């Protein structure tokens, strides 16, 4: 299963931190969102829609609102105050699925986009939307090993790096603060090539904007499925932010 949330009418007003604003085609964004959900569904992840939040421009980026781990769901407290209202319906959705609901307590903040899970270890980006204290809370609430990682050159840790099914971390070097914190790091030739959703042991979902990286991963034996998410990329979104896998 994967949580998803359809974009609202105010999508084009989404927050921007590292890039300049370009016009967003909201109609095209809706079509791309349906294409993304269909791709996930074709790959075997049953989509579960979180109630829309039309008043929140960034609510389509559901990954930032909740972190799922085993039977637990940690409802975040987003770093951007304008995004905090996104979590209420996400909390209802995970409660309805029967998950154990946990909550990140203020004044700390956490965006799910800063949480990269590799083999049971949680790498958490700090320096942007997520506070060091959130790392301590995640470790205690989910009883996991947390490795705080500096993030100053990208919006979220997973804007800079993600992991392949074998645990190799991929990233576009100029966006990564410190590649040495990861056991195995592989540089990719395109910035959006840093973003992979691991579907299963040999399948990843990637953006259409990273054809060279997709070819590189295919050479490594992976099945790389690509979807066009150009309108979300204009808002600093990527393939990972548009869903949350529920195990
Ligand atoms: C924001 O700045 O919060 C949104 N415009 C983009 C959030 C993307 N989410 C993610 O990378 N996890």
């Amino acid at each position: 299963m994967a949580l998803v949330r359809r974009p609202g009418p105010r999508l084009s007003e989404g927050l921007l931190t590292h890039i300049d604003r370009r016009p967003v085609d909201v109609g095209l964004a809706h079509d791309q969102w349906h294409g993304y959900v269909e791709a996930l569904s074709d790959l075997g992840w049953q989509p579960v829609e979180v109630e829309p939040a039309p008043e929140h421009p960034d609510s389509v980026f559901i990954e930032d609102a909740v972190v799922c781990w085993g039977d637990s769901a940690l409802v975040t407290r987003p770093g951007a105050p304008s995004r905090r209202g996104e979590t209420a319906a996400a909390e209802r959705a995970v409660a309805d699925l029967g998950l154990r609901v946990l909550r990140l307590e203020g004044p700390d903040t956490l965006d799910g986009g800063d949480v990269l899970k590799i083999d049971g270890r949680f790498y958490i980006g700090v320096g942007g939307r997520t506070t060091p204290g959130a790392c301590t809370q995640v470790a205690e609430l989910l009883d996991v090993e947390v490795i705080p990682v500096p993030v100053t050159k990208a919006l979220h840790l997973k804007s800079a790096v993600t992991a392949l099914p074998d645990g190799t971390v991929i990233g576009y070097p100029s966006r990564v603060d410190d590649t040495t914190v990861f056991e195995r790091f592989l540089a990719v030739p395109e910035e959006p090539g840093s973003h992979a959703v691991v579907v299963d042991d040999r399948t990843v979902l990637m953006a259409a904007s990273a054809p060279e990286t997709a070819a590189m991963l295919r050479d490594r034996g992976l099945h790389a499925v690509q979807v066009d998410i150009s309108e979300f990329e204009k808002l600093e979104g990527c393939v990972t932010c548009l869903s949350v896998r529920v195990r």
Side-chain angles (χ1 to χ4, degrees):
M1 272 189 293
L3 301 176
V4 292
R5 191 181 225 174
R6 65 183 58 224
R10 295 181 55 191
L11 177 70
S12 60
E13 299 167 44
L15 296 172
L16 289 177
T17 309
H18 292 271
I19 59 176
D20 294 331
R21 196 166 292 279
R22 284 178 292 157
V24 171
D25 181 334
V26 177
L28 176 57
H30 276 264
D31 292 346
Q32 291 179 343
W33 181 81
H34 283 288
Y36 175 90
V37 173
E38 195 175 304
L40 281 186
S41 172
D42 288 349
L43 291 168
W45 286 11
Q46 181 200 336
V48 175
E49 255 197 86
V50 175
E51 194 184 314
E55 68 285 16
H56 289 288
D58 285 309
S59 54
V60 67
F61 304 117
I62 185 67
E63 171 185 64
D64 294 319
V66 61
V67 175
C68 288
W69 181 242
D71 294 332
S72 300
L74 172 58
V75 178
T76 67
R77 183 168 184 271
S82 65
R83 297 197 59 189
R84 299 217 176 118
E86 296 177 23
T87 59
E91 177 166 340
R92 285 195 293 278
V94 289
D96 286 349
L97 291 173
L99 297 172
R100 181 174 70 120
V101 178
L102 304 165
R103 286 181 206 89
L104 200 282
E105 298 294 337
D108 283 315
T109 58
L110 174 75
D111 276 18
D114 277 318
V115 180
L116 175 63
K117 297 171 257 185
I118 307 175
D119 293 335
R121 277 191 184 147
F122 280 48
Y123 292 86
I124 301 188
V126 290
R129 299 272 175 90
T130 296
T131 58
C135 297
T136 312
Q137 288 198 48
V138 171
E140 286 171 3
L141 289 166
L142 297 177
D143 191 22
V144 292
E145 179 187 356
V146 170
I147 300 165
V149 178
V151 173
T152 62
K153 299 175 178 175
L155 177 61
H156 290 125
L157 176 61
K158 281 191 286 184
S159 319
V161 294
T162 55
L164 297 178
D166 70 0
T168 300
V169 170
I170 53 171
Y172 191 63
S174 63
R175 287 287 193 168
V176 186
D177 282 77
D178 182 2
T179 59
T180 65
V181 295
F182 306 109
E183 276 171 23
R184 274 168 296 153
F185 179 80
L186 175 68
V188 296
E190 299 144 317
E191 192 177 332
S194 319
H195 315 136
V197 175
V198 173
V199 177
D200 60 36
D201 282 356
R202 58 172 298 272
T203 312
V204 290
L205 182 66
M206 304 192 62
S209 54
E212 289 178 36
T213 309
M216 188 176 120
L217 299 185
R218 287 181 191 121
D219 284 346
R220 287 173 66 98
L222 287 169
H223 176 44
V225 176
Q226 291 183 272
V227 284
D228 189 355
I229 54 159
S230 64
E231 302 315 289
F232 302 107
E233 290 173 329
K234 291 175 183 171
L235 297 162
E236 288 182 69
C238 48
V239 274
T240 59
C241 348
L242 295 170
S243 61
V244 178
R245 188 177 190 185
V246 181
R247 286 167 208 278

